[in-house]
């Protein structure tokens, strides 16, 4: 079971993993999409983010892509246990596929299993340090745990990658007031 006392070291490890590996090069198409995401806003930014997520969802194997699709369908149907099974099978067969860990982290989160979700987010970010979805998941978990300062740090990482994220725009100002207070 994940305990709050372990939160600080887990968060530090996750953010260090994400931040230190940002300089690693990705596929050229993703680099172009991330450059466009930096300049885009509104619907354009959401469409570019969708294209990035679509790229991340390609394992390179039709069989593995099918497992991802089945896991996501189970998750959408509220069958989290079944989804975890599909994602675990996917991870067993494609341990280097970051999106499998991110998807399973989502399923674990929906079951209230924050420890396993955090572990999968850490692996996602180790494999794909620019995964703004995993960083968003981390931020949400930290907020749920009442770790607003760490959550704000994670949201700021998301903001660096996806400046026009609707979630960032909605949450960061509130967290800044909560964590940093108001200036007079």
């Amino acid at each position: 079971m994940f305990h709050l006392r372990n939160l600080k070291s887990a968060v530090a490890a996750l953010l260090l993993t994400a931040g230190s590996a940002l300089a690693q090069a990705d596929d050229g198409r993703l680099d172009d999409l991330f450059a466009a995401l930096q300049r885009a806003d509104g619907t354009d930014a959401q469409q570019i983010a969708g294209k990035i997520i679509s790229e991340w969802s390609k394992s390179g194997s039709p069989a593995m892509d099918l497992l991802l699709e089945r896991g996501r369908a189970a998750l959408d149907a509220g069958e989290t246990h079944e989804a975890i099974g599909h994602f675990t099978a996917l991870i067993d067969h494609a341990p280097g596929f970051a999106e499998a860990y991110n998807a399973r982290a989502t399923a674990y989160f929906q079951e209230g299993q924050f420890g396993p979700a955090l572990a999968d987010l850490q692996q996602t970010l180790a494999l794909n340090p620019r995964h703004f979805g995993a960083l968003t998941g981390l931020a949400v978990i930290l907020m749920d745990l009442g770790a607003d300062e760490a959550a704000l740090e994670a949201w700021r990482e998301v903001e660096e990658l996806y400046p026009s994220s609707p979630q960032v725009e909605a949450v960061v100002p509130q967290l800044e007031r909560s964590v940093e207070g108001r200036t007079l």
Side-chain angles (χ1 to χ4, degrees), residues 101-121:
Y101 292 95
N102 184 63
R104 190 171 70 176
T106 301
Y108 280 138
F109 174 78
Q110 287 186 8
E111 284 203 341
Q113 297 185 40
F114 291 169
L118 286 169
D120 278 353
L121 291 172

Side-chain angles (χ1 to χ4, degrees), residues 70-81:
R70 285 185 177 170
R72 286 178 171 168
L75 198 57
D76 289 345
E79 300 291 334
T80 55
H81 186 72

Side-chain angles (χ1 to χ4, degrees), residues 2 11-12 27 29 32 36 45 53 65 76 82 85-86 89 93 99 104 120 127-128 132-133 137 144 150 155 160 175:
F2 186 78
V11 170
D27 174 65
R29 175 153 167 72
D32 292 344
I53 293 167
D65 291 349
D76 289 345
E82 183 180 330
H86 287 299
H93 288 66
E99 193 57 31
R104 190 171 70 176
D120 278 353
L127 293 167
N128 180 358
F132 50 80
D144 281 357
W155 281 118
E160 282 184 36
L175 275 176

Side-chain angles (χ1 to χ4, degrees), residues 171-184:
V171 175
V172 168
Q174 294 172 342
L175 275 176
E176 285 174 339
R177 282 190 299 277
S178 171
V179 171
E180 298 168 350
R182 292 187 176 174
T183 57
L184 299 176

Side-chain angles (χ1 to χ4, degrees), residues 54-72 87 90 94 97 99:
S54 177
E55 289 296 314
W56 288 340
S57 297
K58 296 175 184 174
S59 70
S61 163
M64 298 306 105
D65 291 349
L66 181 61
L67 277 174
L68 180 64
E69 183 181 315
R70 285 185 177 170
R72 286 178 171 168
F87 298 139
L90 176 54
F97 185 36
E99 193 57 31

